[in-house]
Amino acid sequence: MKNPIENLNKTFDSRIRLGIMSALMVNTSINFNDLKQLINVTDGNLASHIKALEESGYIKVQKGFIGRKTNTLYAVTKAGEKAFQTHLDALGKMIKNIK
Amino acid sequence: MNESEKLSHELQDIKQIMERSSRFISLSGLSGISAGACALIGAWFANKAIHEQHYLISELRQSSLHINTVINGDVLQNRLLQIGIITFIAAFISAFFFTYQRSKKSNVPVWGTTARRLMINVCIPMVVGGIFLYAMMQNGIYDFVASGCLIFYGLGVVNASKYTLHETRYLGYAEICLGLLSAFFIGDGIYFWAAGFGVLHIVYGIFMWIKYERS
């Protein structure tokens, strides 16, 4: 029998990472503060999850400045887009099967 | 909470964040193409009206019935205004149609928060510009109508590009540049108008369609 959760991506196994990916999927890029506000987490928490996603190659980071303040932008990579879509499809299928 | 509920909840979270954070991304390239086509048709009618008017004036000059030219001048302005309004409505409806189609396909409400944000931001400069140009026309100044339309529309697009596909910004810049250029070539307004609202929209629409929608 096929394992029903084999298509679930372990990298996305957290509410915060799901939130980051969801927001980035539908935006060209989002900066750190907006992301924080959107998902409602602390700086450190968000930063560590971003790092994990970045190391997986699912998001890319672009550091910039607005005046003197740093403005770090995050965007989803092609690989990230694909991986997240697969993950979403798997989630959808599982819900269907359970019902 | 059982497994199914947990997963449903998770999916709902994802959806919600996507909606909350997103720009209005359903804007279709086909909308640009159709709006551009409407503008070109409108410009063709306007150009025809202008030429007919010139012909009429020269005829009148020959028959030395100068009195009527003033009245006919007003008729032309009204006719152009009519053409402009009809063109705008046609362009808007056709643009809405294709964007509506696309939003249905991608399951994003066509009148969600992002769409509202987008509309408001397009409209602020455009309404201001519309009233301003109307006031100028009331005072008999028609020279800057084409240029003003392009400039204020361009400002609206640049302003709204933050809330939709970011490439729209370049369309806005192009419209503004064309509008400014047009201000130095009074009398050729109709050609700038056709280039800005017709050609630029079509070029933009094709580009966006190829980039985002061709599958």
Side-chain angles (χ1 to χ4, degrees), chain A residues 62-82:
Chain A
Q62 195 188 349
K63 287 194 195 288
F65 286 90
I66 294 179
R68 268 196 212 160
K69 276 170 78 180
T70 54
N71 182 46
T72 312
L73 291 174
Y74 301 96
V76 71
T77 61
K78 279 260 183 266
E81 205 175 312
K82 214 173 146 193

Side-chain angles (χ1 to χ4, degrees), chain B residues 43-133:
Chain B
W44 184 78
F45 277 111
N47 199 28
K48 213 176 103 182
I50 293 167
H51 277 117
E52 274 167 10
Q53 173 74 11
H54 285 166
Y55 177 73
L56 212 64
I57 290 172
S58 61
E59 284 253 295
L60 286 167
R61 288 236 167 90
Q62 275 167 12
S63 56
S64 72
L65 283 166
H66 289 141
I67 328 109
N68 283 334
T69 52
V70 180
I71 298 162
N72 275 303
D74 283 349
V75 170
L76 177 68
Q77 305 309 346
N78 278 334
R79 177 123 181 80
L80 289 181
L81 201 64
Q82 273 169 15
I83 292 171
I85 290 167
I86 292 168
T87 304
F88 178 77
I89 292 170
F92 187 84
I93 290 171
S94 71
F96 179 81
F97 173 78
F98 288 111
T99 290
Y100 181 69
Q101 293 287 317
R102 193 176 168 204
S103 80
K104 243 183 13 191
K105 220 186 275 173
S106 56
N107 256 333
V108 178
V110 77
W111 193 235
T113 42
T114 51
R116 233 176 352 249
R117 238 176 8 184
L118 175 65
M119 281 304 279
I120 291 167
N121 281 282
V122 171
C123 283
I124 293 168
M126 268 179 70
V127 169
V128 171
I131 295 168
F132 180 70
L133 291 173

Side-chain angles (χ1 to χ4, degrees), chain A residues 8 15 18-19 21-23 25-30 38-39 84 87-88 91-92 94-95 98-99, chain B residues 2-5 7-11 13-15 17-23 25 164-166 212:
Chain A
L8 286 183
R15 195 191 71 84
L18 278 179
M21 289 305 290
S22 310
M25 285 287 280
V26 290
N27 287 278
T28 320
S29 62
I30 307 184
L38 206 61
I39 304 167
F84 194 64
H87 183 76
L88 282 186
L91 274 181
M94 282 181 70
I95 288 172
I98 292 167
K99 276 177 187 164
Chain B
N2 67 32
E3 194 66 13
S4 165
E5 266 176 321
L7 288 174
S8 298
H9 202 148
E10 212 160 87
L11 271 182
D13 274 356
I14 292 170
K15 261 195 198 147
I17 286 187
M18 284 180 165
E19 159 67 15
R20 234 179 347 167
S21 67
S22 77
R23 293 151 176 260
I25 51 173
T164 183
L165 301 164
H166 64 98
Y212 290 106

Side-chain angles (χ1 to χ4, degrees), chain B residues 34-46:
Chain B
S34 67
C38 288
L40 284 182
I41 294 166
W44 184 78
F45 277 111

Side-chain angles (χ1 to χ4, degrees), chain B residues 148-168:
Chain B
C149 282
L150 286 166
I151 292 171
F152 284 108
Y153 175 66
L155 290 172
V157 171
V158 170
N159 193 37
S161 67
K162 296 188 279 288
Y163 306 106
T164 183
L165 301 164
H166 64 98
E167 288 88 347
T168 49

